[in-house]
Amino acid sequence: MEAAGAAEAGAAVAAQAAAGAEAPPPPGIAPPAPRRLLALLRDKLCTWYILKTILLGQMLSLFICGTAVTSQYLAEHYQVNTPMFQSFINYSLLLLVYTTMLAFRTGGDSLLQILKQRWWKYILLGLADVEANYTIVKAYQYTTLTSVQLLDCFGIPVLMALSWFILRARYRLIHFIAVAVCLLGVGTMVGADILAGRQDSEGSDVVIGDVLVLLGASLYAISNVSEEYIVKNLSRVEFLGMVGLFGTIISGLQLAILEHKDIMKIQWNWKIALLFIVFALCMFGLYSFMPVVIKVTSATSVNLGILTADLYSLFFGLFLFYYKFSGLYILSFVVIMVGFILYCSTPTRTAEPTTVPQPHSAGLDNAALKLDENDSETPAVAVQFTKGESVVVSTG
C-alpha cells in the first residue's frame, strides 16, 4: 500500500511538472528566445507588402521568360536572329501608346516642355537602354550560357552603388546578406546547368563575350536607376514615353545599319509572325509594369526578384527544347526567393540632404527683413478709465 501511494504521489508530481511546462508564461515574463524569434520572423515576413512584392516580381520574371522562350524558339527552329528588330517593335509600341499620351498633355508636363527641358538626358537614357538589350543578346554569340548567367549578376552591385550615390539609398547588413544569398542561388542554377549539360560549347571569343555581358549589365543598372528616379520624382508615363520615342529612333537607325540583311532573309509565315507578336507583347508588358513595381519597391529589389526568370525559362525548356531536369533547379529557386524575401523584409533608408547652415550675423537683407517685421508689428494699446470719466490711452 505504501509503495502504491508513493507511486501515485510521484505520478501527481510529474503531472504537475508537465502541466507547468505546457502552461503559458505568467504575465510580465518574456517568452523563450526561440518563440520570440519565430514571432519576429512572422511579423516581418508574413505581411501583405512582402506577398505583393513577390507576386509583382514573379510577374516580371514571367514576362522575361516569355521573351527568352520566343527568342530561342525563333533562333533554333527558324534560324531567325534579329534582336534589334525585336527591340524596335517593343519601342515602337511604347511610342504608339505612351508618347502619344504625352502628346495630348498640356502644361508643364507636356511632350514639348519635357523635350525642351530634358531632351539630351532622355537621349542618353534611350541609348543606354537600347545598347543594354543589344549587348546581352550579342554576347551569346561569343561566350557560353553559363558565363552570361554569372556575369549578368554584375549589374546588381553596380545598381546598388549607383543607388547609393544618385538615389542616396542607404543599405543595412541584411541587404548585403540577402544579395549574397540570391547570388548563391544563381550559382546553384549554373551548377545545375553544368550537370544537365546545358553549359554549351565555348563561343568564338570568350573574352569579347564576357566584356559584352559586363557592359550590358552596367548599362541595365544605369537604365534601372534612372527609371527609379524618374518614376518616383516625375511620372511613369514620362519615362515610358521618352524611352519609346528615343528608343525607337536609336534602335531604328541601328537596325537599318546592322540587321537589314537578316530581316530580308526571314521566310515569313504565321508561326514566325505569332512568335514576334508574343515577344513584343511580353516585352511591352515588362516595360509597362516594371515602373509600377519599382515605385512600390526599388530597382535593386526588382533585379533580385527577376533572377528567377532563367529558372522559368528552364522549366518551359523541359517541354519545348527537351532539357534535362535537375533537382538543383528547385533548390536554386528556393534560395533566390529566400534572399529576395530577406531583402524586402527591411526597407532601405534615404540619406537626408545636407542643409546649408544659416549665417549667424545678420547681413543687409536680414536687417531689412527685421525692420519690416518691426514695422508690421501692431503697437499694444492700453485704455484706462479714471474717476473723472477721462480716458487715458497709452501705446507700448
Side-chain angles (χ1 to χ4, degrees):
M1 293 295 292
E2 292 179 358
E8 291 178 358
V13 171
Q16 290 177 0
E22 295 176 357
I29 299 178
R35 190 178 302 174
R36 291 202 307 271
L37 179 60
L38 291 176
L40 179 62
L41 291 176
R42 184 179 64 250
D43 294 339
K44 288 183 69 67
L45 302 182
C46 300
T47 63
W48 168 240
Y49 172 78
I50 296 292
L51 178 61
K52 178 175 64 175
T53 305
I54 292 174
L55 293 177
L56 291 175
Q58 297 317 294
M59 181 183 66
L60 296 180
S61 290
L62 289 174
F63 280 131
I64 297 176
C65 171
T67 62
V69 170
T70 51
S71 295
Q72 189 170 357
Y73 210 87
L74 284 169
E76 291 191 4
H77 288 264
Y78 301 101
Q79 287 71 51
V80 175
N81 291 285
T82 55
M84 190 52 62
F85 178 56
Q86 293 167 232
S87 296
F88 175 76
I89 298 174
N90 169 57
Y91 290 122
S92 299
L93 288 176
L94 295 176
L95 172 69
L96 181 64
V97 176
Y98 295 104
T99 311
T100 304
M101 294 172 64
L102 287 178
F104 282 99
R105 282 185 174 182
T106 58
D109 57 348
S110 63
L111 177 61
L112 184 59
Q113 293 298 323
I114 293 172
L115 290 176
K116 284 182 178 180
Q117 297 172 7
R118 299 181 284 273
W119 62 272
W120 64 272
K121 297 179 181 179
Y122 283 116
I123 288 180
L124 296 178
L125 175 59
L127 184 64
D129 197 77
V130 170
E131 299 309 323
N133 290 323
Y134 181 74
T135 51
I136 291 293
V137 176
K138 193 69 175 176
Y140 284 98
Q141 300 179 13
Y142 297 98
T143 188
T144 62
L145 173 66
T146 302
S147 297
V148 173
Q149 289 175 323
L150 283 176
L151 296 177
D152 192 32
C153 298
F154 176 73
I156 293 177
V158 174
L159 182 59
M160 295 179 71
L162 291 176
S163 298
W164 180 284
F165 291 106
I166 297 177
L167 303 178
R168 306 183 66 84
R170 295 297 179 261
Y171 303 101
R172 301 181 181 181
L173 178 60
I174 190 173
H175 296 124
F176 295 103
I177 295 175
V179 171
V181 171
C182 288
L183 297 182
L184 177 62
V186 174
T188 306
M189 178 177 59
V190 171
D193 286 342
I194 295 174
L195 293 177
R198 288 194 66 246
Q199 69 271 23
D200 297 338
S201 60
E202 290 192 354
S204 57
D205 198 324
V206 177
V207 176
I208 293 178
D210 292 347
V211 171
L212 287 175
V213 176
L214 295 176
L215 177 61
S218 302
L219 291 174
Y220 269 130
I222 295 173
S223 176
N224 289 153
V225 169
S226 303
E227 181 176 359
E228 181 174 355
Y229 178 84
I230 295 169
V231 168
K232 292 185 176 180
N233 294 279
L234 298 173
S235 73
R236 165 179 171 266
V237 175
E238 178 175 334
F239 169 78
L240 293 173
M242 291 295 99
V243 168
L245 175 61
F246 292 107
T248 301
I249 296 172
I250 296 171
S251 62
L253 293 174
Q254 196 163 338
L255 168 65
I257 297 171
L258 299 177
E259 287 187 0
H260 64 281
K261 294 182 179 180
D262 295 326
I263 296 175
M264 297 298 293
K265 294 178 182 178
I266 299 176
Q267 298 179 355
W268 291 94
N269 57 50
W270 69 272
K271 293 181 180 179
I272 294 178
L274 180 62
L275 289 171
F276 271 104
I277 292 173
V278 172
F279 175 90
L281 291 178
C282 289
M283 187 65 80
F284 180 78
L286 174 66
Y287 270 74
S288 298
F289 284 101
M290 183 172 280
V292 177
V293 186
I294 286 179
K295 190 169 185 178
V296 174
T297 57
S298 66
T300 305
S301 175
V302 168
N303 277 266
L304 292 176
I306 62 178
L307 289 176
T308 56
D310 288 336
L311 292 166
Y312 290 130
S313 301
L314 293 173
F315 294 148
F316 277 97
L318 294 174
F319 304 98
L320 297 176
F321 309 109
Y322 306 105
Y323 292 155
K324 294 180 180 179
F325 177 76
S326 173
L328 289 178
Y329 291 141
I330 303 297
L331 177 62
S332 61
F333 179 83
V334 173
V335 173
I336 291 174
M337 291 306 301
V338 168
F340 177 64
I341 294 173
L342 282 177
Y343 186 93
C344 296
S345 64
T346 304
T348 58
R349 62 183 183 88
T350 303
E352 295 295 333
T354 56
T355 57
V356 179
Q358 297 294 331
H360 295 288
S361 59
L364 294 177
D365 294 338
N366 291 336
L369 180 61
K370 189 65 178 175
L371 289 175
D372 291 340
E373 291 176 353
N374 292 337
D375 291 341
S376 63
E377 290 179 356
T378 305
V381 179
V383 181
Q384 199 171 19
F385 292 92
T386 61
K387 289 185 178 180
E389 299 297 325
S390 60
V391 179
V392 179
V393 180
S394 63
T395 60

